[in-house]
Amino acid sequence: AKVRQVLDSMSAFYKGLNTANCDYTIEVTREAGGKKDSAKLDFMVAAERPNKISFVQKESTGGIDVVSDGKVLSVYIPELKKYVIETAPDSIAAALEWGALTTLTAFNSIIGELMGPDPAGAILDGVSEAKYVGEEDFAGHKFDRIRLVQEEMDVDMWIATGDKPYMTRLAPDVSKALGGSDAKVTLNVSLAGWTGNAAIPTERFAFKAPDGA
């Protein structure tokens, strides 16, 4: 099926990347009772297989920064000015779990899935149905849009067509999780500016405790 073909070619592409960089942004908008509020987290991401990761906020402070040099894992919560140092786990996915403590930070797992041993398998885990929605154009590029149906939430994914099938956007639909609530929540995850297999300076994976932490 087309959906499997798209996921398999994306999976093979990411398996061929020893390192990857991108900008990760998540935006959430919530409308309830006539009120609308929104929040945004933005991260600079550098990953090197099997277990080096720098997932650090650029301007936002509401998220959780995770840095692992392959030996030591550092987790920093800017809003609390607190950090934790642990022995680094053996995968990028396991390192990022330390930073997935809230609804807004839980989607960082996509980076660990893409830079793990089996991206397609990890993405399809827990999925009851995967549908091919179609090809869409935006920002002058073509993307394959896929919908993953899961018990707790459905997720739409946009994957670039062509020989560099980077994952560029996720739109999780959290209406199932909200149950009968009249709140409308829109989530949008953007993965922009991907580069692959470029050398990443060692200092990207070094954590320096910020002043006052």
Side-chain angles (χ1 to χ4, degrees), residues 142-191:
K142 288 186 176 357
F143 299 89
D144 287 314
R145 182 177 179 177
I146 284 168
R147 179 163 301 145
L148 305 179
V149 179
Q150 301 169 95
E151 196 178 333
E152 66 279 11
M153 72 177 68
D154 300 346
V155 181
D156 280 24
M157 297 181 160
W158 286 260
I159 296 161
T161 61
D163 61 354
K164 290 185 178 172
Y166 285 117
M167 167 92 64
T168 53
R169 189 176 154 215
L170 304 176
D173 177 359
V174 291
S175 54
K176 286 183 193 174
L178 295 170
S181 161
D182 65 347
K184 182 172 182 262
V185 177
T186 310
L187 273 168
N188 207 28
V189 178
S190 157
L191 302 161

Side-chain angles (χ1 to χ4, degrees), residues 25-200:
T25 308
I26 180 163
E27 292 184 75
V28 60
T29 308
R30 189 170 182 273
E31 293 177 61
K35 289 190 185 141
K36 186 174 178 177
D37 55 57
S38 62
K40 179 179 172 179
L41 301 177
D42 56 353
F43 293 84
M44 293 177 290
V45 184
E48 183 174 325
R49 295 178 182 277
N51 66 341
K52 292 182 184 177
I53 180 72
S54 175
F55 190 80
V56 175
Q57 289 170 97
K58 280 195 281 191
E59 291 173 16
S60 60
T61 56
I64 299 166
D65 295 355
V66 176
V67 178
S68 167
D69 64 2
K71 297 184 181 71
V72 176
L73 169 77
S74 311
V75 182
Y76 176 54
I77 304 176
E79 286 191 332
L80 302 178
K81 291 203 173 359
K82 292 264 193 304
Y83 64 92
V84 177
I85 306 285
E86 290 282 338
T87 304
D90 57 9
S91 71
I92 291 166
L96 286 168
E97 275 176 25
W98 282 83
L101 302 179
T102 64
T103 312
L104 211 52
T105 53
F107 295 100
N108 73 17
S109 61
I110 189 66
I111 302 292
E113 290 169 357
L114 293 171
M115 291 302 286
D118 179 13
I123 285 166
L124 289 170
D125 186 38
V127 170
S128 57
E129 188 186 0
K131 304 179 200 172
Y132 182 72
V133 180
E135 192 177 277
E136 296 185 2
D137 292 272
F138 56 89
H141 298 280
K142 288 186 176 357
F143 299 89
D144 287 314
R145 182 177 179 177
I146 284 168
R147 179 163 301 145
L148 305 179
V149 179
Q150 301 169 95
E151 196 178 333
E152 66 279 11
M153 72 177 68
D154 300 346
V155 181
D156 280 24
M157 297 181 160
W158 286 260
I159 296 161
T161 61
D163 61 354
K164 290 185 178 172
Y166 285 117
M167 167 92 64
T168 53
R169 189 176 154 215
L170 304 176
D173 177 359
V174 291
S175 54
K176 286 183 193 174
L178 295 170
S181 161
D182 65 347
K184 182 172 182 262
V185 177
T186 310
L187 273 168
N188 207 28
V189 178
S190 157
L191 302 161
W194 282 102
T195 58
N197 284 338
I200 297 171

